[in-house]
Amino acid sequence: MQKSVKKEVKIEPSKPKNKKPLPRLGVSIKLGNRNVSQESGDEGVASPAASYGQDTIDVSKLEKAWQEFARKQEKFIQQTLQNAHPHVQESNRLVITLENIFQRDKINDIKSDLMPYLRAELHNDDLALEIIVSEDVETHKAYTPREKLEEMMKDNPALVKLIKEFDLELE
Protein backbone atom coordinates (compact mmCIF):
# COMPACT_ATOMS: atom_id res chain seq x y z
CA MET A 1 0.00 0.00 0.00
CA GLN A 2 1.28 3.35 -0.99
CA LYS A 3 0.75 6.45 0.93
CA SER A 4 -0.21 9.52 -0.93
CA VAL A 5 1.55 12.62 0.06
CA LYS A 6 -0.20 15.90 -0.47
CA LYS A 7 1.85 19.01 -0.79
CA GLU A 8 0.45 22.34 0.10
CA VAL A 9 1.04 24.90 -2.58
CA LYS A 10 0.79 28.50 -1.59
CA ILE A 11 -0.50 30.82 -4.29
CA GLU A 12 0.55 34.38 -3.97
CA PRO A 13 -1.09 37.21 -5.87
CA SER A 14 0.96 38.31 -8.82
CA LYS A 15 2.73 41.60 -8.55
CA PRO A 16 2.59 44.05 -11.43
CA LYS A 17 5.69 43.98 -13.54
CA ASN A 18 5.50 47.66 -14.40
CA LYS A 19 5.70 49.92 -11.38
CA LYS A 20 4.61 53.03 -13.30
CA PRO A 21 1.30 54.48 -12.15
CA LEU A 22 -1.59 54.18 -14.55
CA PRO A 23 -2.41 57.36 -16.51
CA ARG A 24 -5.31 59.40 -15.21
CA LEU A 25 -8.29 59.60 -17.46
CA GLY A 26 -9.50 63.21 -17.75
CA VAL A 27 -13.08 64.24 -17.50
CA SER A 28 -14.31 67.71 -18.35
CA ILE A 29 -17.65 68.84 -17.03
CA LYS A 30 -19.20 71.99 -18.44
CA LEU A 31 -21.21 73.94 -15.90
CA GLY A 32 -22.84 76.96 -17.47
CA ASN A 33 -20.04 79.28 -18.51
CA ARG A 34 -17.46 77.50 -16.35
CA ASN A 35 -15.31 74.48 -17.14
CA VAL A 36 -14.20 72.15 -14.37
CA SER A 37 -11.40 69.81 -15.35
CA GLN A 38 -10.18 66.86 -13.29
CA GLU A 39 -7.25 66.05 -15.52
CA SER A 40 -5.12 69.08 -14.73
CA GLY A 41 -4.84 68.24 -11.04
CA ASP A 42 -6.73 71.39 -10.06
CA GLU A 43 -9.88 69.61 -8.96
CA GLY A 44 -12.67 71.96 -8.12
CA VAL A 45 -11.02 75.01 -9.68
CA ALA A 46 -13.25 76.54 -12.33
CA SER A 47 -11.92 78.55 -15.25
CA PRO A 48 -14.24 81.12 -16.77
CA ALA A 49 -15.16 80.82 -20.45
CA ALA A 50 -13.58 83.38 -22.75
CA SER A 51 -15.52 86.63 -22.80
CA TYR A 52 -14.77 89.28 -25.40
CA GLY A 53 -17.25 92.01 -24.53
CA GLN A 54 -20.14 93.69 -26.29
CA ASP A 55 -18.42 96.41 -28.35
CA THR A 56 -20.13 97.80 -31.42
CA ILE A 57 -18.59 96.64 -34.67
CA ASP A 58 -16.07 99.03 -36.18
CA VAL A 59 -16.11 98.42 -39.94
CA SER A 60 -12.43 99.26 -40.41
CA LYS A 61 -11.41 96.85 -37.61
CA LEU A 62 -13.70 94.21 -39.12
CA GLU A 63 -12.12 94.55 -42.56
CA LYS A 64 -8.61 94.42 -41.07
CA ALA A 65 -9.38 91.33 -38.95
CA TRP A 66 -11.15 89.65 -41.91
CA GLN A 67 -8.17 90.14 -44.24
CA GLU A 68 -5.70 89.10 -41.53
CA PHE A 69 -7.58 85.84 -40.95
CA ALA A 70 -7.82 85.26 -44.72
CA ARG A 71 -4.05 85.58 -45.16
CA LYS A 72 -3.48 82.65 -42.79
CA GLN A 73 -5.73 80.27 -44.76
CA GLU A 74 -5.10 77.94 -47.68
CA LYS A 75 -5.28 79.44 -51.18
CA PHE A 76 -8.94 78.73 -52.07
CA ILE A 77 -10.35 79.88 -48.73
CA GLN A 78 -8.03 82.87 -48.73
CA GLN A 79 -9.33 84.04 -52.14
CA THR A 80 -12.94 83.38 -51.18
CA LEU A 81 -12.64 85.40 -47.96
CA GLN A 82 -10.80 88.25 -49.66
CA ASN A 83 -13.51 88.51 -52.34
CA ALA A 84 -16.42 88.21 -49.89
CA HIS A 85 -16.49 91.46 -47.96
CA PRO A 86 -18.66 91.18 -44.84
CA HIS A 87 -21.47 93.69 -44.34
CA VAL A 88 -22.76 94.54 -40.88
CA GLN A 89 -26.49 94.08 -40.44
CA GLU A 90 -28.29 94.84 -37.21
CA SER A 91 -25.86 95.29 -34.33
CA ASN A 92 -23.80 92.10 -34.41
CA ARG A 93 -24.62 90.12 -37.55
CA LEU A 94 -22.19 89.85 -40.44
CA VAL A 95 -23.48 88.89 -43.88
CA ILE A 96 -21.35 87.70 -46.79
CA THR A 97 -22.48 86.76 -50.29
CA LEU A 98 -20.72 83.91 -52.06
CA GLU A 99 -20.95 82.71 -55.63
CA ASN A 100 -21.70 79.01 -55.07
CA ILE A 101 -22.43 76.34 -52.50
CA PHE A 102 -18.90 74.92 -52.73
CA GLN A 103 -17.56 78.21 -51.35
CA ARG A 104 -20.26 78.19 -48.66
CA ASP A 105 -19.29 74.69 -47.58
CA LYS A 106 -15.60 75.62 -47.38
CA ILE A 107 -16.36 78.71 -45.29
CA ASN A 108 -18.64 76.66 -43.03
CA ASP A 109 -15.72 74.26 -42.50
CA ILE A 110 -13.53 77.05 -41.11
CA LYS A 111 -16.33 78.94 -39.36
CA SER A 112 -15.40 77.35 -36.02
CA ASP A 113 -11.99 79.06 -36.28
CA LEU A 114 -13.17 82.27 -37.93
CA MET A 115 -15.87 83.30 -35.47
CA PRO A 116 -13.82 83.08 -32.24
CA TYR A 117 -11.06 85.00 -34.00
CA LEU A 118 -13.44 87.77 -35.09
CA ARG A 119 -15.14 87.86 -31.67
CA ALA A 120 -11.77 88.33 -29.99
CA GLU A 121 -10.53 90.95 -32.46
CA LEU A 122 -13.78 92.96 -32.44
CA HIS A 123 -14.52 92.40 -28.71
CA ASN A 124 -18.05 91.18 -29.35
CA ASP A 125 -19.40 87.91 -27.89
CA ASP A 126 -22.63 87.98 -29.87
CA LEU A 127 -21.06 88.21 -33.32
CA ALA A 128 -22.75 85.92 -35.87
CA LEU A 129 -22.07 85.18 -39.53
CA GLU A 130 -24.72 84.61 -42.19
CA ILE A 131 -23.70 83.22 -45.56
CA ILE A 132 -25.83 83.91 -48.64
CA VAL A 133 -25.25 82.08 -51.90
CA SER A 134 -25.95 84.37 -54.84
CA GLU A 135 -28.43 82.82 -57.24
CA ASP A 136 -28.21 85.53 -59.87
CA VAL A 137 -24.56 84.91 -60.69
CA GLU A 138 -24.63 83.09 -63.99
CA THR A 139 -21.28 82.20 -65.44
CA HIS A 140 -21.22 81.17 -69.06
CA LYS A 141 -17.92 80.23 -70.56
CA ALA A 142 -17.47 81.32 -74.17
CA TYR A 143 -15.96 78.46 -76.15
CA THR A 144 -16.45 79.18 -79.84
CA PRO A 145 -14.85 82.16 -81.61
CA ARG A 146 -18.30 83.69 -82.19
CA GLU A 147 -19.21 83.41 -78.47
CA LYS A 148 -15.86 84.95 -77.53
CA LEU A 149 -16.46 87.86 -79.92
CA GLU A 150 -19.97 88.41 -78.55
CA GLU A 151 -18.59 88.49 -74.99
CA MET A 152 -15.93 91.02 -76.01
CA MET A 153 -18.54 93.15 -77.81
CA LYS A 154 -20.65 93.30 -74.60
CA ASP A 155 -17.66 94.60 -72.65
CA ASN A 156 -16.33 96.95 -75.30
CA PRO A 157 -18.81 98.87 -77.49
CA ALA A 158 -15.92 100.34 -79.51
CA LEU A 159 -15.33 96.84 -80.88
CA VAL A 160 -18.85 96.83 -82.38
CA LYS A 161 -18.09 100.16 -84.07
CA LEU A 162 -14.79 98.80 -85.41
CA ILE A 163 -16.46 95.68 -86.86
CA LYS A 164 -19.12 97.77 -88.59
CA GLU A 165 -16.67 100.37 -89.87
CA PHE A 166 -14.38 97.84 -91.51
CA ASP A 167 -17.24 95.50 -92.46
CA LEU A 168 -15.60 92.54 -90.72
CA GLU A 169 -17.09 89.05 -90.54
CA LEU A 170 -16.25 86.07 -88.43
CA GLU A 171 -16.33 82.67 -90.12
Side-chain angles (χ1 to χ4, degrees), residues 21 72 74 123 136-137 142 163:
K72 297 175 185 175
E74 58 138 308
H123 306 289
D136 61 326
V137 176
I163 292 171

Side-chain angles (χ1 to χ4, degrees), residues 4-168:
S4 71
V5 178
K6 290 185 180 179
K7 287 186 178 179
E8 271 186 46
V9 178
K10 233 181 188 181
I11 300 175
E12 294 183 27
S14 65
K15 294 181 181 177
K17 294 177 184 178
N18 189 356
K19 293 185 180 184
K20 292 181 186 177
L22 294 174
R24 292 179 61 185
L25 298 176
V27 176
S28 178
I29 304 169
K30 185 164 180 137
L31 300 171
N33 287 338
R34 300 165 57 178
N35 279 335
V36 178
S37 176
Q38 293 179 349
E39 183 175 16
S40 65
D42 297 335
E43 284 97 19
V45 177
S47 63
S51 178
Y52 304 113
Q54 299 296 325
D55 292 357
T56 57
I57 298 172
D58 180 3
V59 178
S60 62
K61 285 183 182 178
L62 169 62
E63 187 64 32
K64 182 180 176 186
W66 188 267
Q67 295 301 326
E68 174 114 1
F69 183 83
R71 271 184 244 127
K72 297 175 185 175
Q73 303 305 309
E74 58 138 308
K75 188 82 169 165
F76 178 79
I77 294 173
Q78 180 181 32
Q79 290 174 341
T80 301
L81 288 173
Q82 288 175 341
N83 291 332
H85 301 283
H87 300 284
V88 180
Q89 287 189 350
E90 297 169 8
S91 62
N92 55 6
R93 189 172 62 135
L94 304 177
V95 178
I96 60 172
T97 303
L98 301 176
E99 295 177 7
N100 56 54
I101 59 173
F102 183 70
Q103 288 178 329
R104 181 199 62 200
D105 293 343
K106 287 294 190 180
I107 299 303
N108 277 332
D109 289 345
I110 61 143
K111 198 173 179 181
S112 62
D113 296 328
L114 173 64
M115 293 314 296
Y117 178 81
L118 291 177
R119 288 180 184 128
E121 291 294 314
L122 302 174
H123 306 289
N124 190 322
D125 288 330
D126 298 329
L127 199 61
L129 178 67
E130 181 181 340
I131 300 171
I132 298 172
V133 177
S134 177
E135 295 175 8
D136 61 326
V137 176
E138 182 182 323
T139 56
H140 178 306
K141 182 78 173 158
Y143 292 105
T144 66
R146 179 161 303 282
E147 289 175 342
K148 289 177 184 177
L149 179 62
E150 289 171 358
E151 288 291 321
M152 290 190 303
M153 288 170 32
K154 285 180 193 174
D155 296 336
N156 191 353
L159 186 60
V160 176
K161 185 178 178 183
L162 181 71
I163 292 171
K164 286 181 181 178
E165 188 175 319
F166 289 102
D167 196 27
L168 298 174

